[in-house]
Amino acid sequence: MTSANGNDMNKDILLGVMGDPIAQSKSPLMHGAALKALGIPGAYVPLHIAPDQLSQALSAIRTLGFRGVNVTIPHKVAVMEYLDKLDESAVAVGAVNTIVNDNGILTGFNTDGIGYVRSLKAEAAPDLSGARILVIGAGGAARGIVTALLQENPSAVLIANRTADKAKELAEACRGKEKASGIGMNEIGEHIGGMDIVINTTSVGMYPHIDETPIDPGLLPAGIIVSDLIYNPLRTRLLSESLKRGCRIHGGLGMFVYQGAYALEYWTGRTAPVDIMRQTILDCLGGSAE
Ligand code: ATR
């Protein structure tokens, strides 16, 4: 039997994640649970690939008949030159986190930004149109998030970064840039009062530096939504301080789940079992759903 895309459906589906390091990745656990829940025979394996092995690893994906892989640090940009096609999502972000193999033709996608926005809408802010959004950080993660946010018709996306020039460059590089602008972190106090949503895209506050916050929580107005991409810890110090100040909070676990859900949907054509995927990670991290 062959699927609509011509792949052999009698074989077990082979999936994986390429990174360096990779042992810490929770993707194999999450996707393993998802495949089991869907009754799809196959495996999702961690692939430890050093930067100088990337080209060979991509050839091996074709040779071994992997249906697809996720790509993580440090390969998200470097992998692009070895692919046959790039989806618009990957072009817009300038990075790939998901590869689909259609009989040897490798296509790169980026599901990080859309995964984040699906999570934000499902868990905190169903309608982003007209929202005024402050994004903290201007690195690779911010690029994907800002790109996806601008597709939701917000009224403004303000990017604040320690290095102000990088925030301005990111705003300038985005489609829909008339709504995006960049400032230095030191200017946040002048703008935060007009915001509906504040999103941390930096790694400040991630385990083991759990006492750090990317901005002074004293600046946060009550009633706004504060969102953090970090999911380890599930509740960062930024989020616990925000809660104390009367803000609504949104953690990073949903982004991880939904970026994986989109990838799984591209590989299998099936609807991803997001609740099972989320619970698998929660069980592993020893947390509870909020
Ligand atoms: P990622 O792909 O995870 O976004 P990155 O591209 O290295 O990683 O970007 C990291 C982001 O976090 C940057 O915006 C960085 O600010 P600078 O551009 O000024 O370096 C921000 N960042 C990292 N550590 C930070 C810190 N201690 N304080 C403030 N911002 C920090």
Side-chain angles (χ1 to χ4, degrees):
M1 190 172 75
T2 51
S3 68
N5 58 32
N7 287 294
D8 186 346
M9 296 296 282
N10 289 325
K11 283 195 294 190
D12 283 10
I13 187 169
L14 288 176
L15 302 167
V17 55
M18 290 182 174
D20 181 18
I22 202 60
Q24 80 298 341
S25 173
K26 304 275 182 267
S27 290
L29 188 72
M30 180 171 77
H31 283 283
L35 290 174
K36 193 169 165 212
L38 291 173
I40 297 175
Y44 181 112
V45 292
L47 300 165
H48 187 191
I49 310 293
D52 64 356
Q53 298 173 315
L54 197 53
S55 159
Q56 291 160 278
L58 270 293
S59 297
I61 294 304
R62 294 186 182 93
T63 309
L64 299 173
F66 270 66
R67 170 63 176 142
V69 284
N70 283 128
V71 181
T72 189
I73 293 165
H75 304 313
K76 288 185 180 191
V77 176
V79 79
M80 295 174 80
E81 68 172 288
Y82 302 110
L83 303 177
D84 302 299
K85 293 188 205 165
L86 292 173
D87 180 68
E88 205 185 318
S89 59
V91 176
V93 178
V96 162
N97 80 325
T98 301
I99 297 171
V100 177
N101 177 9
D102 288 309
N103 295 311
I105 307 293
L106 304 185
T107 305
F109 295 79
N110 196 306
T111 69
D112 285 331
I114 54 173
Y116 172 78
V117 168
R118 189 160 147 189
S119 157
L120 183 66
K121 289 169 75 175
E123 296 158 23
D127 184 7
L128 295 171
S129 68
R132 294 157 301 175
I133 306 171
L134 174 65
V135 173
I136 302 166
R143 180 175 288 268
I145 300 274
V146 169
T147 304
L149 286 171
L150 286 169
Q151 286 166 14
E152 297 293 323
N153 196 31
S155 72
V157 175
L158 183 61
I159 305 160
N161 197 44
R162 180 174 59 181
T163 316
D165 282 349
K166 271 177 71 181
K168 290 178 181 142
E169 280 163 28
L170 175 54
E172 196 55 34
C174 288
R175 250 182 253 169
K177 60 185 173 193
E178 65 283 357
K179 291 188 176 168
S181 47
I183 57 170
M185 207 75 111
N186 54 341
E187 297 168 75
I188 281 183
E190 298 160 38
H191 299 273
I192 202 165
M195 294 294 149
D196 303 304
I197 305 174
V198 173
I199 304 168
N200 174 41
T201 73
T202 76
S203 55
V204 181
M206 190 187 290
Y207 180 84
H209 306 291
I210 59 171
D211 287 332
E212 296 176 8
T213 57
I215 59 168
D216 173 6
L219 294 171
L220 293 163
I224 66 165
I225 294 170
V226 179
S227 172
D228 201 326
L229 264 57
I230 295 168
Y231 67 90
N232 186 11
L234 287 167
R235 188 177 289 176
T236 57
R237 171 130 187 257
L238 176 70
L239 293 186
S240 51
E241 297 285 341
S242 300
L243 206 54
K244 282 186 213 155
R245 297 187 59 80
C247 304
R248 285 188 289 148
I249 61 171
H250 171 251
L253 179 61
M255 171 178 177
F256 179 64
V257 171
Y258 283 112
Q259 63 75 30
Y262 274 117
L264 192 72
E265 289 169 3
Y266 294 160
W267 294 323
T268 68
R270 302 272 301 274
T271 302
V274 286
D275 292 342
I276 286 166
M277 293 163 78
R278 177 190 305 272
Q279 195 57 49
T280 302
I281 301 298
L282 280 172
D283 291 347
C284 168
L285 294 176
S288 59
E290 286 173 0

